[in-house]
Amino acid sequence: MSKIGQQPILIEQGVSVSLEGNTVKLKGNFGKKEVSMPEGLGVVLKDNYLMIERKKEEKKIKALHGLYRQLIANLIKGVIKPWEKRLEVVGTGYNVKLQGENLIFKLGFSHPVIYKKREGIKFEVVGNNQIIVSGIDKQLVGEVANQIRNLKKPDSYKGKGVRYVGEKIKLKPGKKAKGGLAGGVK
């Protein structure tokens, strides 16, 4: 039995929830979003809480129970205060700038890399090496941040590339540390 799926979801101040068939519509200060529930799951609105209930006891429905409860809970938090991920561009000559709504990266390639804006995501550039990806959908924010990181993952020798702020990169020692003394002189 899903322990997460059984927990009620508190509807916070400033969020309006409407149920239309198998669709939950959420509206808050920072936008609106809707979630279509799979067949076999239902939503009940009681007082100031949402409850996700199973209509069937199939294995697949049990697996989706906690997932959809958490997706709706994250959206309720997101329409009040947007989710955000912070990334940094590390390396000599590596930088990022905002041009219109798109991000333009210089990552050591022969050409600048353009990352186009996605629906529901807002980009902000701090300085010339930090990016803030924000939006009301936690899953989408994480997906976009990961796609940006994958443009140039941090290399394992110097740590140059795009990484999350605070991410620790374990660097390999390189050739000189492996052989002992440099130049082969004993």
Side-chain angles (χ1 to χ4, degrees):
M1 192 162 239
S2 175
K3 302 292 183 199
I4 293 174
Q6 291 176 343
Q7 296 174 359
I9 305 168
L10 174 66
I11 301 170
E12 308 220 5
Q13 192 85 21
V15 178
S16 64
V17 177
S18 63
L19 304 174
E20 294 179 13
N22 243 14
T23 304
V24 180
K25 294 187 177 187
L26 303 165
K27 188 175 180 185
N29 299 339
F30 289 96
K32 55 186 174 182
K33 191 80 173 175
E34 59 183 58
V35 178
S36 296
M37 301 296 286
E39 202 172 305
L41 286 178
V43 181
V44 177
L45 184 61
K46 293 180 184 174
D47 299 328
N48 217 17
Y49 292 95
L50 276 178
M51 291 291 295
I52 310 298
E53 295 180 345
R54 290 193 298 246
K55 297 176 184 174
K56 302 175 186 174
E57 292 297 320
E58 296 174 7
K59 189 174 183 178
K60 184 177 180 183
I61 300 301
K62 287 180 180 180
L64 294 174
H65 190 199
L67 170 71
Y68 274 88
R69 185 257 176 222
Q70 200 59 41
L71 288 175
I72 292 172
N74 286 340
L75 283 174
I76 287 175
K77 289 178 185 174
V79 294
I80 293 173
K81 181 180 182 281
W83 296 98
E84 67 177 38
K85 292 269 187 183
R86 293 174 178 262
L87 298 134
E88 61 184 344
V89 180
V90 177
T92 306
Y94 289 20
N95 63 35
V96 62
K97 61 183 174 183
L98 195 60
Q99 188 174 44
E101 292 184 330
N102 300 330
L103 293 172
I104 310 295
F105 291 91
K106 290 187 181 172
L107 299 171
F109 299 123
S110 62
H111 59 284
V113 178
I114 300 170
Y115 190 87
K116 296 189 184 291
K117 182 190 182 306
R118 298 229 352 226
E119 187 68 34
I121 296 294
K122 183 182 168 202
F123 295 125
E124 191 178 327
V125 176
V126 180
N128 64 354
N129 69 337
Q130 280 202 352
I131 309 149
I132 301 173
V133 180
S134 62
I136 61 174
D137 190 349
K138 184 178 184 180
Q139 181 181 354
L140 185 61
V141 169
E143 183 181 319
V144 169
N146 188 45
Q147 288 174 354
I148 291 171
R149 184 180 183 275
N150 286 336
L151 293 175
K152 181 86 173 189
K153 287 185 179 178
D155 76 333
S156 56
Y157 291 98
K158 293 186 179 179
K160 299 184 333 182
V162 182
R163 65 173 94 163
Y164 296 107
V165 171
E167 180 181 3
K168 302 286 189 233
I169 306 295
K170 186 173 180 186
L171 300 179
K172 293 181 180 177
K175 286 184 183 178
K176 288 187 179 180
K178 190 174 186 178
L181 298 173
V185 181
K186 292 186 180 182

